[in-house]
mmCIF file with all atom_site columns, all heavy atoms in Angstrom:
data_model
loop_
_atom_site.group_PDB
_atom_site.id
_atom_site.type_symbol
_atom_site.label_atom_id
_atom_site.label_alt_id
_atom_site.label_comp_id
_atom_site.label_asym_id
_atom_site.label_entity_id
_atom_site.label_seq_id
_atom_site.pdbx_PDB_ins_code
_atom_site.Cartn_x
_atom_site.Cartn_y
_atom_site.Cartn_z
_atom_site.occupancy
_atom_site.B_iso_or_equiv
_atom_site.pdbx_formal_charge
_atom_site.auth_seq_id
_atom_site.auth_comp_id
_atom_site.auth_asym_id
_atom_site.auth_atom_id
_atom_site.pdbx_PDB_model_num
ATOM 1  N N   . LEU A 1 13 ? -4.400 7.191  5.501  1.00 92.00 ? 1217 LEU A N   1
ATOM 2  C CA  . LEU A 1 13 ? -5.690 6.503  5.514  1.00 92.00 ? 1217 LEU A CA  1
ATOM 3  C C   . LEU A 1 13 ? -6.798 7.338  6.155  1.00 92.00 ? 1217 LEU A C   1
ATOM 4  O O   . LEU A 1 13 ? -7.910 7.376  5.647  1.00 92.00 ? 1217 LEU A O   1
ATOM 5  C CB  . LEU A 1 13 ? -5.561 5.159  6.238  1.00 92.00 ? 1217 LEU A CB  1
ATOM 6  C CG  . LEU A 1 13 ? -4.576 4.161  5.611  1.00 92.00 ? 1217 LEU A CG  1
ATOM 7  C CD1 . LEU A 1 13 ? -4.525 2.891  6.438  1.00 92.00 ? 1217 LEU A CD1 1
ATOM 8  C CD2 . LEU A 1 13 ? -4.930 3.868  4.170  1.00 92.00 ? 1217 LEU A CD2 1
ATOM 9  N N   . ILE A 1 14 ? -6.508 7.981  7.260  1.00 93.00 ? 1218 ILE A N   1
ATOM 10 C CA  . ILE A 1 14 ? -7.544 8.733  7.958  1.00 93.00 ? 1218 ILE A CA  1
ATOM 11 C C   . ILE A 1 14 ? -7.701 10.146 7.390  1.00 93.00 ? 1218 ILE A C   1
ATOM 12 O O   . ILE A 1 14 ? -8.803 10.585 7.096  1.00 93.00 ? 1218 ILE A O   1
ATOM 13 C CB  . ILE A 1 14 ? -7.260 8.774  9.475  1.00 93.00 ? 1218 ILE A CB  1
ATOM 14 C CG1 . ILE A 1 14 ? -7.328 7.350  10.039 1.00 93.00 ? 1218 ILE A CG1 1
ATOM 15 C CG2 . ILE A 1 14 ? -8.244 9.710  10.193 1.00 93.00 ? 1218 ILE A CG2 1
ATOM 16 C CD1 . ILE A 1 14 ? -6.908 7.226  11.479 1.00 93.00 ? 1218 ILE A CD1 1
ATOM 17 N N   . ASN A 1 15 ? -6.577 10.865 7.223  1.00 95.00 ? 1219 ASN A N   1
ATOM 18 C CA  . ASN A 1 15 ? -6.643 12.260 6.766  1.00 95.00 ? 1219 ASN A CA  1
ATOM 19 C C   . ASN A 1 15 ? -6.572 12.416 5.252  1.00 95.00 ? 1219 ASN A C   1
ATOM 20 O O   . ASN A 1 15 ? -6.650 13.530 4.745  1.00 95.00 ? 1219 ASN A O   1
ATOM 21 C CB  . ASN A 1 15 ? -5.542 13.082 7.422  1.00 95.00 ? 1219 ASN A CB  1
ATOM 22 C CG  . ASN A 1 15 ? -5.758 13.218 8.905  1.00 95.00 ? 1219 ASN A CG  1
ATOM 23 O OD1 . ASN A 1 15 ? -6.884 13.228 9.381  1.00 95.00 ? 1219 ASN A OD1 1
ATOM 24 N ND2 . ASN A 1 15 ? -4.687 13.307 9.653  1.00 95.00 ? 1219 ASN A ND2 1
ATOM 25 N N   . ASN A 1 16 ? -6.368 11.313 4.535  1.00 94.00 ? 1220 ASN A N   1
ATOM 26 C CA  . ASN A 1 16 ? -6.389 11.299 3.076  1.00 94.00 ? 1220 ASN A CA  1
ATOM 27 C C   . ASN A 1 16 ? -5.335 12.209 2.433  1.00 94.00 ? 1220 ASN A C   1
ATOM 28 O O   . ASN A 1 16 ? -5.587 12.829 1.398  1.00 94.00 ? 1220 ASN A O   1
ATOM 29 C CB  . ASN A 1 16 ? -7.791 11.645 2.565  1.00 94.00 ? 1220 ASN A CB  1
ATOM 30 C CG  . ASN A 1 16 ? -8.044 11.111 1.186  1.00 94.00 ? 1220 ASN A CG  1
ATOM 31 O OD1 . ASN A 1 16 ? -7.446 10.121 0.788  1.00 94.00 ? 1220 ASN A OD1 1
ATOM 32 N ND2 . ASN A 1 16 ? -8.911 11.765 0.455  1.00 94.00 ? 1220 ASN A ND2 1
ATOM 33 N N   . HIS A 1 17 ? -4.166 12.322 3.062  1.00 95.00 ? 1221 HIS A N   1
ATOM 34 C CA  . HIS A 1 17 ? -3.053 13.038 2.443  1.00 95.00 ? 1221 HIS A CA  1
ATOM 35 C C   . HIS A 1 17 ? -2.330 12.090 1.493  1.00 95.00 ? 1221 HIS A C   1
ATOM 36 O O   . HIS A 1 17 ? -2.473 10.874 1.583  1.00 95.00 ? 1221 HIS A O   1
ATOM 37 C CB  . HIS A 1 17 ? -2.060 13.543 3.499  1.00 95.00 ? 1221 HIS A CB  1
ATOM 38 C CG  . HIS A 1 17 ? -2.621 14.619 4.370  1.00 95.00 ? 1221 HIS A CG  1
ATOM 39 N ND1 . HIS A 1 17 ? -2.895 15.884 3.924  1.00 95.00 ? 1221 HIS A ND1 1
ATOM 40 C CD2 . HIS A 1 17 ? -2.976 14.617 5.674  1.00 95.00 ? 1221 HIS A CD2 1
ATOM 41 C CE1 . HIS A 1 17 ? -3.374 16.617 4.903  1.00 95.00 ? 1221 HIS A CE1 1
ATOM 42 N NE2 . HIS A 1 17 ? -3.444 15.861 5.992  1.00 95.00 ? 1221 HIS A NE2 1
ATOM 43 N N   . SER A 1 18 ? -1.522 12.639 0.614  1.00 95.00 ? 1222 SER A N   1
ATOM 44 C CA  . SER A 1 18 ? -0.822 11.800 -0.356 1.00 95.00 ? 1222 SER A CA  1
ATOM 45 C C   . SER A 1 18 ? 0.370  11.085 0.280  1.00 95.00 ? 1222 SER A C   1
ATOM 46 O O   . SER A 1 18 ? 0.943  11.552 1.274  1.00 95.00 ? 1222 SER A O   1
ATOM 47 C CB  . SER A 1 18 ? -0.329 12.644 -1.535 1.00 95.00 ? 1222 SER A CB  1
ATOM 48 O OG  . SER A 1 18 ? 0.745  13.467 -1.137 1.00 95.00 ? 1222 SER A OG  1
#
Side-chain angles (χ1 to χ4, degrees):
L1217 299 179
I1218 296 173
N1219 293 329
N1220 204 27
H1221 292 290
S1222 71

